[in-house]
Amino acid sequence: MTIVQRGLAEFLGTFWLVFGGCGSAVLAAAFPELGIGFAGVSLAFGLTVLTMAYSIGHISGCHLNPAVTFGLWAGGRFSGKDIPAYVIAQTVGAIAAALMLYVIASGGPGFDLAGGLASNGYGDHSPGQYGLQSAFLIELVLTFFFLLVIMGSTDTRAPAGFAPIAIGLCLTLIHLISIPVTNTSVNPARSTGPALIVGGWAIGQLWLFWIAPIAGGILGGLVYKALGADGSKRPPVEGAAL
């Protein structure tokens, strides 16, 4: 596959992740009487990754996440020369999805952009009012383990065909843990899309949701490699993300 084809796949996959995951939070989480709540939003994020991993894993590897791209590079699974194209495609896909979600959500009664459009935050903008230290640590730790799951489940020695399920369920678990803390990022692109639409505080806090996940992803890739992994991957799925 050419880098253009892989980049387009990453754009579409990340669009689906943000539109499906953030869309469930904005449109369905607190819907009167039938809201899906935190558990439903967590499952929605996991399902976006699972469905895209089976759909585009054989094209781009289905990273959908700059932290995953950097982590796979650190773990010896991805070429450094392709990182810029992947990160740009992922980020643009996330922005396009957030813009589409905003247009749809603003057509409903009572919509207020001050609600955050599922933006990530800490302090006053954390769902549970968690501070900067808590937000940084949970994003770092959860992205670290996300990369371990991704690299382990896609190793040639792992059972074939089940990687998307493991990765999707891992992302679901990550959201079940951390929505109250940061609204869950573990994905800089996912954070950037809504932040650019909301502006203000969301942009001011966006730095954390780039630094912590990428640091956690790189650390996860390095640690899995140090565990004695052979660095190989089983096609068609190279990796997947939040």
Side-chain angles (χ1 to χ4, degrees):
M1 296 293 177
T2 68
I3 189 62
V4 173
Q5 290 172 314
R6 290 184 286 146
L8 180 58
E10 287 295 304
F11 169 87
L12 293 172
T14 311
F15 182 101
W16 183 237
L17 183 148
V18 173
F19 189 75
C22 294
S24 69
V26 172
L27 302 175
F31 192 80
E33 299 181 11
L34 296 174
I36 62 174
F38 284 177
V41 173
S42 300
L43 183 60
F45 271 101
L47 288 173
T48 64
V49 171
L50 189 154
T51 52
M52 277 295 112
Y54 279 120
S55 301
I56 65 169
H58 54 287
I59 299 173
S60 69
C62 193
H63 298 188
L64 317 187
N65 182 340
V68 170
T69 297
F70 276 100
L72 293 174
W73 164 75
R77 300 276 190 91
F78 190 72
S79 173
K81 68 180 177 62
D82 291 335
I83 289 176
Y86 268 56
V87 171
I88 291 171
Q90 293 156 0
T91 305
V92 173
I95 294 170
L99 181 59
M100 179 67 73
L101 179 59
Y102 168 69
V103 172
I104 294 170
S106 61
F111 174 76
D112 186 357
L113 192 57
L117 203 69
S119 293
N120 301 115
Y122 55 86
D124 291 339
H125 303 290
S126 157
Q129 305 292 295
Y130 287 85
L132 172 61
Q133 177 176 295
S134 297
F136 187 91
L137 287 175
I138 201 162
E139 291 290 330
L140 178 77
V141 170
L142 291 178
T143 314
F144 167 81
F145 279 100
F146 194 32
L147 260 292
L148 287 185
V149 171
I150 289 170
M151 294 193 70
S153 62
T154 57
D155 195 295
T156 55
R157 297 164 292 183
F162 295 101
I165 298 173
I167 295 166
L169 288 176
C170 180
L171 189 58
T172 299
L173 175 60
I174 284 171
H175 279 78
L176 288 171
I177 296 168
S178 61
I179 287 178
V181 183
T182 61
N183 223 13
T184 309
S185 173
V186 301
N187 184 337
R190 170 264 184 269
S191 298
T192 300
L196 292 183
I197 304 300
V198 173
W201 67 266
I203 293 178
Q205 296 190 354
L206 184 59
W207 65 271
L208 184 146
F209 301 104
W210 275 85
I211 294 177
I214 288 177
I218 290 174
L219 185 60
L222 292 173
V223 168
Y224 187 80
K225 190 175 182 180
L227 289 174
D230 62 5
S232 61
K233 58 183 179 295
R234 182 195 309 280
V237 179
E238 297 175 359
L242 169 176

